Amino acid sequence: MPRLLFEKKGNAVWISHLDLMRLFQRAFKRAGLPLTHTQGFNPRPSVSIALPLSVGVESRCELLDFDLYGEKPSNEEILTRLNAALVEGVKVLAVYDEAAKIKHLALLECVVALEYDGGIPEGAVEQIEALFNRAEVTVEKKSKNGVKEENIIPMLRRLAVIPADGSTLELRALVCCQNPTLNPMQLNAAIFKYLPNLAPDFARCRRVEVFDTNETIFR
Amino acid sequence: MTELKQRILPTVQKPARYTGGEWGEIKKDLKDVRLRVAFCFPDTYEIGMSNVGMRILYGVMNKMDGVWCERVFAPWGDMEEAMRENGLPLWALESQDPVKDFDMIAFTIGYEMAYSNILNMLDLAGVPLHSRDRHDLKNIVFAGGVCAFNPEPLADFIDFFSLGEGEESTVEIVSLYDRAKAEGWTKETFLQEVSKIPGVYVPSFYRHEYNEDGTLAAIVPLNGAPETVTKRIIENLDTAFFPTEMIVPSTEIVHDRANLEVFRGCIRGCRFCQAGFSCRPVRKKSPEVLYQQAVEIMEKSGNNEITLSSLSTSDYRGLKKLTDELIPYCADNKINLSVPSLRADNFSRELMEKLQTVRKSGLTFAPEAGTQRLRDVINKNLTEDEILNTCANAFSGGWNNVKLYFMLGLPTETDEDVLGIADLVYKVIKTWKEHAVNKKRGLRVHVATAYFVPKPHTPFQWEKQITPQEYLRRCRLLKEHFYSKSIEYDYHGPDLSRLEAVFARGDRRLGPVIEAAVRNGAKLDGWDEYFNYAKWYDAFRECGVDEDFYTVRGYGEEEILPWDTIDVGVTKKFLKLERKRAYEEKVTPDCRHGCAGCGASGLLKEVACDA
């Protein structure tokens, strides 16, 4: 199945995962690119997105698999036609056929931006670095089976704390994104729990790149 | 640093409904824009974006040079709270600019329970609620939609109403405003001039006087205003504006599909139905134009579902021709074609089977009443045989899911009629047992009863609404007679329909009640999560207004009615005659079997009524 790499930013970050699937299905249709349909009682157009993206999170490394019915136009043409049929904020960056197996997708590079309206507090960088250097940092994780405490450190490969400007601190992290998965916003939750004095006024997240276990870019 | 609105969005449910940016949204460069219209739908995004009327008028206004029309919806409670807490005024989706910056503020009102939202939205926008407190031409507030056919409860708040179909009149109104703005007219001058456009009703140009018993004594036109204002209609639907470039929401809405209106008006004359009378006369759209528009809209929107809509789609003469062409197109393109509002009596097995090749949808009937006698009273020309035959057809075609809708509290209804509903439901079950091809899956009969609300411009506009206690007694009586496990019976509490009845036939004395209720926190009354009759109860008491005056009292035939100023084309004489026939249990044949002389054809100048 061919795959496409796309970005999601601006107001499009508020579109949920399920809505985004529907949005792509319609965009393919508008672009005159008929998708094949799944078999079964309720046939659905075959598009699947590798890693569901939380509402509000920006990304430039989203992957979507699709399958076209009939003769497939060139990848450049698919890219051009799809982009002409997509909403502002969702943009296809590449279309290709040699797609890696999704099960090898393992790591995500992301940035959690912590905004301090009164400026970055004194000593914040050091304290946050120290926090994530601990052997155990537990935060609440909500799942189908209720809420449980989870140690996030084993899922955190690397983390750097970098002041982006006078009031924004960026946590640049490499985290596990499949089996198990660390939602990057849990890093913010950890700060709220362990360093309440450094709780930011607002935090937002963006995905930067995805990798396999060897830290090779995943496509 | 992230701006305020972007910080609020992650904290609310379904943030995509507040950001705009959907496919097909119309954006304009402000330097080319002379006039900005904030087009408000007084309910949430999911409901409003499903409204065809709004989509049409959005297209109509944006097609005008120098005019930019943007959409505004009522925020859900969590967003409203955040907006109030942070002093963020209501904004329009396209530009994200505050509504109070707009020249004109338009509302489309299809449901009485949206009245609280209108006031709440004006309040969130920071625009004065009362017409008299808005002194300038800027922020003029006007409204249309079916509720404008009795606009009186909103008379204090809306500067003027646009009655009937707006494809043409909206252009006339907006063009006049364009001129008024350029020439610096006062609001008074504009209202005076706009009232000359046919179909425009300016409530402040009428004084309502009351008798001691609370009934209307007189409606006095002021400033030379006409005695009555006649609604507008489009005569030729083939050439009327229809938006084939639709906005495709990025988040799921209630009717997430393309919608094609096949004709307007209704030949049926069910005596309780407001749309059936107020949307007359019947005007057709040709199957050729419809097919072309269907293909265009599907290609441009990428939707996977299209619905053919009208008040009674089986009565559309071109239905066979249109579906013969559309069904193959839809099948080829994996599009689901849905045809709701098919009548039981001519819901042909053929069409059912053809639609099934695309996807099987549910089977729904609205017999409205349980006995033939009462169906004759309400002129619902649907017999038990027709219902059972259609069910038999459907069951042998594999359907095993039926929905049946009824009303309780119809004029002349007795317990025998109520129990007639149970009888009919059992006959449906029996029919299933005899005809079902696959009994393993079982049958589901979903029965729902609604509390009858008498509506203006219908033969039942004078009728009493039964008391809430009596309504509940009838619901329980019916429930006691449902034994089968196949039956799922739903009935709503009476409060919402009671309130709907008050406002449907309300007068100007209800303005303060709406305002008080909104002050008490009434909003989103169409939603179970928010509707709270206590807020309204307190408002009625605060204002010294008795709900019963508008509901269980009933209106006298000689009484001046609050909506007497509004002419929808059907004469009062005809409505009285139809009411008399109802009490005589006489049906009136549908318009195709002979014109009953309702008067609506008098609205037509170029074409004849297509009944």
Side-chain angles (χ1 to χ4, degrees):
Chain A
M1 251 199 241
R3 178 172 292 169
L4 58 84
L5 172 76
F6 69 97
E7 65 175 18
K8 190 174 174 226
K9 59 183 193 183
N11 271 335
V13 302
W14 306 112
I15 301 170
S16 72
H17 174 67
L18 282 178
D19 286 336
L20 188 68
M21 303 262 278
R22 214 173 356 245
L23 186 140
F24 265 105
Q25 288 162 9
R26 288 173 174 170
F28 272 101
K29 219 161 189 169
R30 290 193 288 265
L33 301 166
L35 290 163
T36 59
H37 282 63
T38 58
Q39 300 294 308
F41 188 72
N42 261 335
R44 288 173 200 291
S46 30
V47 292
S48 88
I49 293 174
L51 290 178
L53 185 63
S54 302
V55 171
V57 178
E58 189 182 300
S59 175
R60 58 177 195 224
C61 58
E62 295 303 294
L63 301 172
L64 177 142
D65 292 350
F66 63 98
D67 192 19
L68 292 183
Y69 185 80
E71 205 176 317
K72 190 169 133 325
S74 72
N75 289 336
E76 297 81 77
E77 196 177 337
I78 293 175
L79 182 135
T80 315
R81 273 156 66 174
L82 258 185
N83 278 335
L86 276 165
V87 299
E88 203 181 307
V90 182
K91 192 175 158 198
V92 178
L93 306 172
V95 179
Y96 52 94
D97 297 304
E98 306 293 310
K101 286 208 168 90
I102 294 292
K103 66 176 180 191
H104 296 137
L105 172 52
L107 297 167
L108 169 71
E109 184 191 341
C110 58
V111 174
V112 178
L114 310 174
E115 298 183 2
Y116 297 96
D117 295 351
I120 298 170
E122 196 91 14
V125 175
E126 297 74 18
Q127 286 184 61
I128 293 172
E129 278 174 348
L131 170 66
F132 292 110
N133 277 326
R134 295 190 196 183
E136 187 179 273
V137 172
T138 63
V139 289
E140 280 187 357
K141 187 185 181 182
K142 281 182 207 138
S143 73
K144 273 177 254 170
N145 310 319
V147 182
K148 59 176 185 197
E149 288 282 322
E150 172 185 54
N151 181 13
I152 61 172
I153 297 301
M155 293 178 285
L156 184 60
R157 288 292 171 90
R158 262 202 303 280
L159 183 122
V161 186
I162 298 155
D165 58 46
S167 60
T168 309
L169 210 49
E170 287 188 349
L171 310 182
R172 299 197 183 164
L174 186 68
V175 301
C176 294
C177 63
Q178 268 206 125
N179 309 321
T181 303
L182 176 63
N183 178 344
M185 285 305 261
Q186 292 285 59
L187 301 173
N188 185 40
I191 293 172
F192 265 81
K193 181 179 167 186
Y194 290 88
L195 306 169
N197 296 338
L198 297 180
D201 294 290
F202 185 71
R204 64 191 313 173
C205 178
R206 66 175 192 270
R207 282 181 179 173
V208 178
E209 191 53 275
V210 279
F211 302 93
D212 62 15
T213 37
N214 304 323
E215 294 190 24
T216 313
I217 290 179
F218 181 89
R219 285 292 179 270
Chain B
M1 210 164 69
T2 307
E3 57 143 337
L4 182 60
K5 204 185 286 173
Q6 297 288 319
R7 283 188 175 192
I8 290 173
L9 287 170
T11 68
V12 300
Q13 292 176 47
K14 304 186 193 165
R17 56 188 161 173
Y18 304 113
T19 60
E22 312 93 322
W23 179 259
E25 166 194 81
I26 298 173
K27 286 202 174 195
K28 294 195 179 183
D29 190 336
L30 276 178
K31 75 177 188 329
D32 304 323
V33 173
R34 295 186 305 275
L35 198 167
R36 301 181 71 180
V37 184
F39 195 178
C40 308
F41 190 93
D43 211 312
T44 60
Y45 178 89
E46 299 92 297
I47 306 287
M49 284 304 293
S50 305
N51 184 280
V52 189
M54 187 178 194
R55 287 174 179 270
I56 293 175
L57 296 180
Y58 177 80
V60 164
M61 287 188 260
N62 278 318
K63 228 179 72 176
M64 295 175 72
D65 172 62
V67 176
W68 188 12
C69 169
E70 304 184 37
R71 297 160 298 148
V72 186
F73 300 96
W76 192 245
D78 56 356
M79 180 53 108
E80 175 177 340
E81 212 175 290
M83 287 163 68
R84 291 195 187 277
E85 212 173 271
N86 293 285
L88 199 61
L90 187 67
W91 62 89
L93 293 187
E94 282 75 0
S95 64
Q96 297 282 307
D97 287 341
V99 169
K100 63 174 184 292
D101 292 353
F102 284 66
D103 298 298
M104 307 184 85
I105 300 172
F107 281 93
T108 174
I109 318 168
Y111 182 37
E112 290 83 359
M113 291 304 95
Y115 291 177
S116 56
N117 292 340
I118 298 173
L119 270 62
N120 203 34
M121 285 171 80
L122 288 174
D123 185 53
L124 278 169
V127 172
L129 301 185
H130 286 263
S131 188
R132 61 163 188 269
D133 296 331
R134 297 186 299 263
H135 307 289
D136 302 329
L137 188 62
K138 190 162 180 148
N139 285 174
I140 207 151
V141 178
F142 70 115
V146 284
C147 283
F149 291 150
N150 177 23
E152 299 309 328
L154 296 171
D156 291 348
F157 315 109
I158 307 290
D159 293 310
F160 66 94
F161 291 89
S162 166
L163 307 178
E165 297 162 9
E167 284 95 335
E168 291 166 1
S169 57
T170 307
V171 176
E172 295 161 29
I173 291 164
V174 173
S175 304
L176 185 73
Y177 189 97
D178 194 12
R179 187 177 146 209
K181 191 182 175 186
E183 294 176 7
W185 296 4
T186 61
K187 179 179 172 183
E188 287 67 36
T189 311
F190 176 74
L191 287 178
Q192 192 68 51
E193 290 306 308
V194 82
S195 75
K196 293 174 188 165
I197 294 177
V200 171
Y201 170 69
V202 182
S204 60
F205 289 179
Y206 298 82
R207 193 173 65 236
H208 284 212
E209 295 170 359
Y210 300 95
N211 294 309
E212 265 176 37
D213 65 2
T215 57
L216 271 168
I219 298 176
V220 186
L222 312 168
N223 308 356
E227 293 244 335
T228 58
V229 179
T230 306
K231 74 160 191 201
R232 291 285 289 273
I233 54 161
I234 298 300
E235 297 209 21
N236 186 345
L237 297 180
D238 283 346
T239 53
F241 176 83
F242 180 79
T244 49
E245 293 184 19
M246 66 182 282
I247 297 176
V248 184
S250 299
T251 176
E252 201 168 13
I253 59 168
V254 178
H255 296 298
D256 207 354
R257 57 185 89 113
N259 190 319
L260 204 57
E261 188 188 25
V262 295
F263 77 109
R264 286 183 188 171
C266 187
I267 65 168
R268 293 287 156 180
C270 304
R271 293 178 178 130
F272 55 84
C273 178
Q274 188 180 35
F277 291 95
S278 65
C279 299
R280 291 182 178 198
V282 176
R283 286 140 301 144
K284 64 163 182 232
K285 201 161 166 178
S286 72
E288 293 80 12
V289 171
L290 286 167
Y291 178 78
Q292 212 176 357
Q293 289 177 344
V295 171
E296 207 174 316
I297 202 169
M298 296 319 283
E299 278 173 6
K300 286 179 177 167
S301 71
N303 262 312
N304 59 359
E305 185 169 358
I306 185 165
T307 188
L308 301 182
S309 69
S310 76
L311 293 170
S312 174
T313 304
S314 315
D315 293 328
Y316 174 51
R317 284 204 180 93
L319 188 61
K320 186 178 163 14
K321 188 169 192 315
L322 178 61
T323 50
D324 278 353
E325 286 185 54
L326 260 188
I327 289 170
Y329 171 79
C330 289
D332 285 352
N333 291 282
K334 298 266 194 298
I335 292 164
N336 183 24
L337 174 67
S338 66
V339 188
S341 302
L342 286 177
R343 286 181 59 88
D345 47 6
N346 53 9
F347 182 68
S348 70
R349 186 174 186 157
E350 200 191 337
L351 183 58
M352 268 169 56
E353 276 171 3
K354 273 195 259 170
L355 288 173
Q356 213 181 318
T357 61
V358 187
R359 202 166 142 202
K360 190 179 291 185
S361 47
L363 190 65
T364 304
F365 296 102
E368 311 292 3
T371 59
Q372 194 57 49
R373 185 200 70 80
L374 191 53
R375 282 195 295 274
D376 288 347
V377 169
I378 64 175
N379 206 38
K380 183 86 192 184
N381 298 334
L382 176 62
T383 65
E384 190 173 287
D385 281 351
E386 284 165 337
I387 296 168
L388 297 179
N389 285 339
T390 312
C391 281
N393 268 346
F395 295 147
S396 52
W399 264 263
N400 47 22
N401 205 333
V402 185
K403 286 182 191 164
L404 294 165
Y405 293 147
F406 298 93
M407 278 191 264
L408 290 176
L410 288 162
T412 80
E413 184 178 81
T414 62
D415 284 359
E416 201 182 314
D417 298 306
V418 176
L419 297 180
I421 296 175
D423 277 349
L424 181 58
V425 171
Y426 281 107
K427 284 176 186 162
V428 170
I429 295 174
K430 190 166 162 268
T431 308
W432 179 78
K433 286 180 178 153
E434 288 164 7
H435 292 88
V437 281
N438 182 2
K439 287 194 188 136
K440 269 190 204 147
R441 282 228 201 118
L443 170 72
R444 292 239 58 84
V445 187
H446 181 228
V447 181
T449 56
Y451 182 6
F452 170 62
V453 177
K455 293 272 181 165
H457 307 288
T458 69
F460 290 162
Q461 64 176 353
W462 297 278
E463 295 298 328
K464 294 180 166 73
Q465 187 181 42
I466 58 172
T467 64
Q469 295 76 18
E470 176 58 17
Y471 162 75
L472 286 173
R473 188 192 66 81
R474 293 184 195 182
C475 291
R476 288 187 207 108
L477 176 70
L478 183 56
K479 195 169 182 171
E480 284 164 17
H481 286 78
F482 284 144
Y483 312 106
S484 167
K485 271 190 203 151
S486 301
I487 304 170
E488 218 174 292
Y489 175 41
D490 266 355
Y491 63 90
H492 273 90
D495 293 337
L496 195 72
S497 302
R498 186 182 186 207
L499 202 55
E500 190 184 325
V502 171
F503 288 108
R505 296 191 294 178
D507 55 35
R508 295 186 174 189
R509 289 169 296 188
L510 294 173
V513 177
I514 304 172
E515 204 183 338
V518 171
R519 219 182 304 119
N520 296 342
K523 63 175 166 223
L524 300 169
D525 289 309
W527 297 83
D528 289 343
E529 293 94 320
Y530 285 97
F531 179 65
N532 179 355
Y533 196 73
K535 289 175 176 159
W536 286 97
Y537 181 88
D538 292 345
F540 281 111
R541 302 295 83 80
E542 258 172 69
C543 303
V545 173
D546 182 7
E547 297 99 307
D548 288 350
F549 179 83
Y550 303 95
T551 58
V552 299
R553 177 179 74 94
Y555 291 54
E557 279 196 11
E558 301 315 313
E559 202 178 313
I560 296 173
L561 301 171
W563 55 95
D564 273 349
T565 322
I566 310 299
D567 181 1
V568 299
V570 174
T571 63
K572 207 172 187 176
K573 195 176 141 212
F574 177 76
L575 295 179
K576 280 182 184 167
L577 179 72
E578 275 295 296
R579 186 190 194 202
K580 191 162 160 278
R581 291 176 70 88
Y583 278 95
E584 290 166 356
E585 301 174 8
K586 274 190 194 156
V587 300
T588 298
D590 69 65
C591 305
R592 223 155 258 177
H593 286 89
C595 175
C598 72
S601 62
L603 298 174
L604 296 165
K605 291 179 186 72
E606 294 152 24
V607 298
C609 178
D610 188 52

